């Protein structure tokens, strides 16, 4: 059978180097010819943002950041950009910070330079998300893809081990979901496989020694690959489930992804033999689920949606919210009963299949 596929590679500049964030950011601001820069960083990242932006002239620092990008927060940031005649957005932080910069870029067309401090991966995708009235809306628009990403593993040293694990497993979810997402192809499957390998090497190193920059570099590298694969392949079943849960019930983003992932993998892998082989090979284990579950044990990963704040009584409603968004391309049909069974297992934290 001949190999036929249609692949789109997004254009983006990536600068990777530990201890070089301030230097690389200043060089990018100069290269882009920006003169009025808005730095978006949460209050908790304020000192890091000041340090990274020390070499550039900042017109305004904006710190009103919240998870899942509420529309009210997006409108406030857009107004700040307009009022200050901003010509470049710089976001320094995790996925929520990058998401807010994307929300501004979506309506203003302003370019973004992203400086990630977690392994969220949003910086390498053209996917945006906004939340209003407990409903999260996502979309795809090349206008929100950051022009440049500045990676510096030293900026992740302050990320606690527990958050590093959750964020890294969120990146792992990008890899695994890319194996059966609507636009999956051999190129993003290859990127996702290498992303799994890098994350499976890097995250245990962070767990063993939180000050190990080498492990954090591998995790950042894997997170970038995971996001590139995800941007090409699109949102699979896992991400549709987590987007609904996060937006509707205000659950923590990374922890929710880390918790749900093994249950989606156990559900889909038996019906996706090629993905099963690729994922297992990347982990170096006999089965995909065994590789992921073994890694989760080593990392002491988040285990149950009840710990993320999901009320078991909300699960039937969640099922009805998720069902319309299940991709037609999923390897196996998904019924409301399937979703309820999956969410109940994830809620209680029972051991996923394939251990």
């Amino acid at each position: 059978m001949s190999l036929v596929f249609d692949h789109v590679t997004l254009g983006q500049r990536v600068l990777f180097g530990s201890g070089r964030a301030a230097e690389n950011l200043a060089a990018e601001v100069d290269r882009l010819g920006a003169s009025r820069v808005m730095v978006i960083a949460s209050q908790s990242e304020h000192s890091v943002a000041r340090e990274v932006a020390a070499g550039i002239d900042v017109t305004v620092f904006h710190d009103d950041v919240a998870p899942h990008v509420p529309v009210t927060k997006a409108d406030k940031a857009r107004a700040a950009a307009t009022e200050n005649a901003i010509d470049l957005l710089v976001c320094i932080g995790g996925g929520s910070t990058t998401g807010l910069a994307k929300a501004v870029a979506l309506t203003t067309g302003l370019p973004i330079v992203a400086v990630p401090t977690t392994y969220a991966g949003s910086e390498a995708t053209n996917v945006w998300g906004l939340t209003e009235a407990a409903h999260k809306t996502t979309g795809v628009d090349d206008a929100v893809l950051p022009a440049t990403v500045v990676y510096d593993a030293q900026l992740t040293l302050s990320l606690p081990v527990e958050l590093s694990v959750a964020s890294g497993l969120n990146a792992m979810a990008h890899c695994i979901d890319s194996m059966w997402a609507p636009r999956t192809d051999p190129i993003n499957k290859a990127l996702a496989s290498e992303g799994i390998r890098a994350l499976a090497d890097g995250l245990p190193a962070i767990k063993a020694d939180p000050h190990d920059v080498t492990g954090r570099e591998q995790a950042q590298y894997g997170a970038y690959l995971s996001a590139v694969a995800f941007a090409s392949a699109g949102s699979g079943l896992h991400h549709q489930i987590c987007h609904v849960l996060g937006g509707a019930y205000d659950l923590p983003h990374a922890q929710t992804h880390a918790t749900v992932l093994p249950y989606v993998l156990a559900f889909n892998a038996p019906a996706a033999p090629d993905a099963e082989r690729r994922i297992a090979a990347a982990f170096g284990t006999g089965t995909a689920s065994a590789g992921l579950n073994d890694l989760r044990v080593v990392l002491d990963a988040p285990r149950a949606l009840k710990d993320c704040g999901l009320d078991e009584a909300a699960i039937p409603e969640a099922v009805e919210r998720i069902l319309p968004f299940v991709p037609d391309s999923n390897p196996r049909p998904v019924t409301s009963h399937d979703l309820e069974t999956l969410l109940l297992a994830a809620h209680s934290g029972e051991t996923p299949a394939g251990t």
Side-chain angles (χ1 to χ4, degrees):
M1 183 177 179
S2 61
L3 190 63
V4 178
F5 60 89
D6 182 352
H7 178 82
V8 175
T9 298
L10 300 177
Q12 186 179 62
R13 181 178 177 88
V14 175
L15 301 175
F16 200 108
S18 295
R20 299 184 180 183
E23 171 190 347
N24 284 335
L25 175 60
E28 278 306 284
V29 171
D30 183 62
R31 185 181 74 86
L32 294 169
S35 60
R36 298 189 63 80
V37 179
M38 177 174 171
V39 173
I40 299 175
S42 68
Q43 293 181 7
S44 63
E45 298 276 11
H46 182 76
S47 60
V48 172
R50 291 278 182 180
E51 180 180 337
V52 172
I56 64 174
D57 292 327
V58 179
T59 301
V60 61
F61 282 90
H62 185 85
D63 63 7
D64 194 1
V65 178
H68 307 297
V69 194
V71 168
T72 53
K73 303 291 187 184
D75 288 341
K76 185 176 179 179
R78 290 163 176 165
T82 301
E83 291 165 5
N84 289 280
I86 298 302
D87 60 6
L88 177 67
L89 303 169
V90 172
C91 53
I92 302 171
S96 298
T97 303
T98 306
L100 183 59
K102 287 182 171 185
V104 177
L106 182 66
T107 57
T108 64
L110 290 171
I112 301 171
V113 175
V115 186
T117 60
T118 70
Y119 311 114
S122 176
E123 68 278 357
T125 79
N126 57 354
V127 179
W128 57 268
L130 292 166
T131 302
E132 185 174 26
H135 176 71
K136 186 168 186 176
T137 301
T138 61
V140 176
D141 193 316
D142 287 349
V144 308
L145 177 73
T148 305
V149 184
V150 175
Y151 285 109
D152 182 342
Q154 287 190 4
L155 299 182
T156 71
L157 288 173
S158 61
L159 191 66
V161 170
E162 293 78 9
L163 289 179
S164 296
V165 166
S167 184
L169 289 174
N170 179 22
M172 185 73 75
H174 289 134
C175 293
I176 291 175
D177 225 20
S178 294
M179 294 292 184
W180 43 59
R183 301 187 303 276
T184 192
D185 64 46
I187 294 176
N188 49 56
K189 286 181 180 179
L191 292 171
S193 295
E194 173 64 1
I196 292 170
R197 184 210 60 76
L199 288 161
D201 283 350
L203 294 176
I206 295 171
K207 176 74 172 177
D209 180 3
H211 302 291
D212 176 20
V213 173
T214 302
R216 291 182 179 272
E217 286 179 339
Q218 282 297 299
Q220 271 198 330
Y221 165 62
Y224 170 71
L225 292 176
S226 78
V228 173
F230 176 72
S232 173
S235 292
L237 176 63
H238 171 84
H239 278 80
Q240 297 298 353
I241 291 173
C242 292
H243 284 168
V244 168
L245 293 179
Y249 307 106
D250 196 27
L251 306 188
H253 182 84
Q255 291 88 338
T256 300
H257 280 270
T259 301
V260 171
L261 181 59
Y263 300 95
V264 176
L265 177 59
F267 179 80
N268 270 346
D274 178 63
E276 161 71 26
R277 286 191 297 269
R278 287 176 182 267
I279 297 168
F283 279 123
T285 53
T287 68
S289 286
L292 177 61
N293 291 335
D294 288 350
L295 176 65
R296 285 170 51 79
V297 170
V298 170
L299 298 177
D300 191 22
R303 293 184 56 85
L305 286 176
K306 63 184 179 183
D307 298 331
C308 296
L310 181 67
D311 187 340
E312 184 176 351
I315 288 178
E317 177 190 67
V319 168
E320 295 308 311
R321 287 177 178 265
I322 294 165
L323 203 56
F325 297 100
V326 172
D328 293 336
S329 63
N330 198 63
R332 59 183 287 191
V334 181
T335 66
S336 58
H337 175 73
D338 293 329
L339 282 176
E340 185 169 10
T341 300
L342 187 155
L343 290 178
L344 284 170
H347 181 269
S348 67
E350 72 178 52
T351 302
T355 303

